Amino acid sequence: MTENQSTAKRERVAMVGTPCQIIAAKKMDSFQEYLGDSPVDLKIGLFCMENFSYSYMKKLLKQHDVDMKDVVECRVEKGYAWFFLTEDRLVKIPLDEAKTCSRKSCNICMDFTSELSDVSVGSVGSEDGWSTVVVRTDEGLKLLENAEKDKYIETKPITESGLKLIEKLANKKKKDNKEEIMKREKVARPVIYRRPISRDDFEEEVSKCQFSDLKCDVIDIGACVLCGACEYVCPENIISIDDRKPQIKGKCPEGCNLCYVACPRTYVTDDLLNKENDKKPLGDYIKVVSAKAPMINGQDGGVATALLNYALSKNVVDEVMVVDKSRLEPWKPEAKLTGNVADVLKASGTKYAACPVFKSLKVKDE
């Protein structure tokens, strides 16, 4: 356990993230005896079919005579990647072409709707200007109901056709990526996060796994999601992610396995994720509604932004992890930990590229 993780009191943090990032946060919840206090108290997950490589997307846009610095907003929907540019210009690229930029790690993810979050938010299944919200925990339900009560959002029942569409896409992702997992396993490229394992077996299996094992089992075979969990939990501060895969500078102390425990692509115990999840398109949930945020002109109704702002304004949490755009490189995602509502509003909108979100927690602690 690191010094910053052993403090008696810490601030409550909310995050908004992709399914793989949510899995990492959930593992940190589940294995606090190894990792110390969980860094995230409220998890808002996003619907996600795949994420893209920033460098590959930059090259693709160049082929379409688009400079990254001119991109104002990016959206993936209706079979296209839509790039809204300065001077009211619009470029749309067929999704089949854009998928050439997708990251290999996304091809083994079977989670479309962030099944381990407190609340999931996405545009699929709801009409333009509205978001679909999947409530999964009592804490998530309380957040949604109170945010609506205080007029941060408004909700309405989701249509049956909308729910069926979400289930169809979620099932497709599970089916297609299950086939990819089986293909990789046949050529001895282990996809261990989908292997059923009990907590007792997990503890025995990972007891001696260090960064070298993480490198072999996850990083070198194209399964790393660049979430930054390994960097965050490293007690020696010898793991770093700087525009490339996790690197280590130094030697792991004997008996330390924290990076391996926290990684969302190493073993996930069956009390968190089991084969029954494969049969549930959306995972476990309490309710599904359509929602929008009247006061926010954000993507797909601005609901994720509104929920974060509500949580901050009402002291449900003290700070939130968001993904903003880099000040140095155009449209490149950059994680930020903030207690400022204005920062949350500025960071609204999906970036569609991998980002080490947990790095923001490490920067604060240092």
Side-chain angles (χ1 to χ4, degrees), residues 147-342:
E148 182 168 24
K149 179 181 177 182
D150 288 344
K151 303 189 185 307
Y152 277 72
I153 62 170
E154 60 183 74
T155 71
K156 65 180 181 180
I158 191 169
T159 64
E160 183 177 348
S161 60
L163 184 58
K164 286 182 177 179
L165 176 59
I166 304 169
E167 292 177 342
K168 178 182 177 181
L169 291 177
N171 277 328
K172 176 175 171 52
K173 183 172 183 179
K174 288 179 185 289
K175 177 180 178 295
D176 291 350
N177 290 3
K178 180 67 172 180
E179 291 174 357
E180 176 63 23
I181 288 172
M182 294 173 65
K183 187 187 303 182
R184 292 193 187 190
E185 296 260 316
K186 285 181 180 179
V187 294
R189 286 186 173 270
V191 182
I192 56 180
Y193 99 100
R194 294 297 305 180
R195 294 182 177 180
I197 189 171
S198 68
R199 288 186 71 91
D200 289 341
D201 289 342
F202 172 87
E203 292 178 8
E204 181 179 352
E205 188 71 29
V206 307
S207 61
K208 296 181 181 180
C209 292
Q210 297 194 304
F211 185 84
S212 58
D213 301 284
L214 185 69
K215 187 174 185 297
C216 291
D217 294 345
V218 177
I219 300 168
D220 288 348
I221 63 171
C224 174
V225 301
L226 294 179
C227 67
C230 57
E231 182 177 3
Y232 171 69
V233 301
C234 178
E236 303 296 311
N237 294 319
I238 56 177
I239 299 175
S240 63
I241 301 176
D242 297 306
D243 292 328
R244 55 184 305 178
K245 298 174 182 178
Q247 306 287 311
I248 189 168
K249 296 180 181 178
K251 185 178 180 181
C252 294
E254 186 175 350
C256 180
N257 63 351
L258 302 192
C259 62
Y260 201 92
V261 171
C263 176
R265 287 297 178 258
T266 61
Y267 296 98
V268 181
T269 52
D270 54 17
D271 59 316
L272 297 180
L273 189 67
N274 58 56
K275 287 188 175 181
E276 290 303 309
N277 290 73
D278 297 350
K279 304 174 185 177
K280 303 173 183 177
L282 310 187
D284 295 319
Y285 62 88
I286 297 172
K287 64 187 292 188
V288 183
V289 298
S290 289
K292 70 176 181 179
M295 295 183 290
I296 296 176
N297 183 24
Q299 182 170 331
D300 305 321
V303 172
T305 300
L307 291 176
L308 290 176
N309 283 346
Y310 172 81
L312 271 180
S313 301
K314 301 299 181 180
N315 298 316
V316 176
V317 297
D318 303 296
E319 294 183 297
V320 300
M321 292 164 54
V322 295
V323 177
D324 201 352
K325 291 176 287 188
S326 169
R327 291 171 295 176
L328 302 177
E329 298 185 64
W331 199 254
K332 187 172 185 178
E334 184 175 78
K336 176 186 291 187
L337 185 68
T338 182
N340 191 326
V341 169

Side-chain angles (χ1 to χ4, degrees), residues 89-121:
R89 293 173 294 156
L90 171 65
V91 171
K92 63 177 185 178
I93 300 175
L95 201 50
D96 285 345
E97 184 180 355
K99 281 180 179 290
T100 61
C101 302
S102 66
R103 303 189 71 249
K104 289 191 293 184
S105 59
C106 297
N107 297 334
I108 58 171
C109 174
M110 293 174 60
D111 185 351
F112 175 54
T113 61
S114 293
E115 296 173 19
L116 299 185
S117 61
D118 294 298
V119 177
S120 305
V121 181

